Amino acid sequence: MRIGVDIDGVVSDSYPAWLQELNRHYGKNITVLEDYEMHLVFDVPWDDMNDFFVENVDHLLSMPKPVPGAREGIESLRREGHEVIFVTARRPEEEKVTLKWLEKYEIPHETVLFSGFKSKVDLVKQWQLEAFVEDHLANARGISALGVPVLLLTTSYNRGKLPAGVTRCATWTEMVTVLRQLASG
Ligand SMILES: [Mg+2]
């Protein structure tokens, strides 16, 4: 199977790390991210938070640790003959820091696609992906509407009702199990 895998919140444990940096920057003490839109959580304009990210991009994309089980899960899938294609909303300018991070944590990668904040749906179609691993509910909704099964890794910001075709998974081990079931039809 050709599997699309998101990076932030799925492979890179970005949000807890960013929460810590944003608390420092904004002088707040938010412990749980209940909304994917972090500027809403911090009650600041989107542009303001975007400026902070742009100014500190190398640090913010380098500092997170991998999500537990991500490397092992990706290794297993590849060993079993599946193709893993990373699809991130990061901007193409962030390719270098992204590849460096994947190398640092020895996460096998051949193809990494950057949507640059745009919808991932077009890339899913273009690359004929057969399953997708995601943490953002809106992306899961858009991709599953194409008929592509989505696995949603549970986080504090994606609770709630799931659309048809989206399977919630608590861990990478669980996601690998579901992907194997999908592959065996
Ligand atoms: Mg994500």
Side-chain angles (χ1 to χ4, degrees), residues 6-10 15 36 120 134-136 139 157:
D6 175 35
I7 294 182
D8 292 303
V10 168
Y15 294 94
Y36 181 82
K120 295 178 181 178
E134 196 29 84
D135 66 323
H136 185 26
N139 287 339
Y157 48 84

Side-chain angles (χ1 to χ4, degrees), residues 104-151:
K104 179 179 176 187
Y105 290 104
E106 298 177 335
I107 295 167
H109 55 283
E110 267 163 10
T111 309
V112 186
L113 309 175
F114 296 79
S115 82
F117 290 152
K118 291 203 200 80
S119 167
K120 295 178 181 178
V121 167
D122 290 341
L123 290 172
V124 171
K125 282 196 273 193
Q126 194 185 326
W127 285 78
Q128 300 179 317
L129 304 180
E130 296 162 280
F132 205 93
V133 179
E134 196 29 84
D135 66 323
H136 185 26
L137 204 46
N139 287 339
R141 202 171 280 129
I143 294 164
S144 66
L146 298 172
V148 174
V150 177
L151 282 70

Side-chain angles (χ1 to χ4, degrees), residues 44-105:
V44 296
W46 186 88
D47 284 351
D48 189 277
M49 191 171 281
N50 189 53
D51 288 348
F52 174 74
F53 269 85
V54 170
E55 278 159 31
N56 300 284
V57 70
D58 279 355
H59 172 63
L60 292 169
L61 299 187
S62 303
M63 65 174 298
K65 296 277 186 293
V67 169
R71 181 174 56 81
E72 295 82 352
I74 289 162
E75 281 173 348
S76 303
L77 293 169
R78 287 168 56 109
R79 214 169 27 236
E80 291 163 29
H82 300 294
E83 194 179 348
V84 172
I85 294 186
F86 290 102
V87 183
T88 175
R90 292 181 182 187
R91 301 170 308 155
E93 301 93 289
E94 287 142 21
E95 181 172 12
K96 203 173 154 198
V97 63
T98 301
L99 298 183
K100 206 171 147 193
W101 185 90
L102 290 166
E103 272 142 36
K104 179 179 176 187
Y105 290 104

Side-chain angles (χ1 to χ4, degrees), residues 15-32 41-42 49 52:
Y15 294 94
W18 292 346
L19 198 56
Q20 179 193 317
E21 295 301 292
L22 289 167
N23 274 326
R24 206 197 323 261
H25 179 65
Y26 289 113
K28 296 204 176 182
N29 187 25
I30 292 163
T31 52
V32 180
V41 177
F42 280 84
M49 191 171 281
F52 174 74

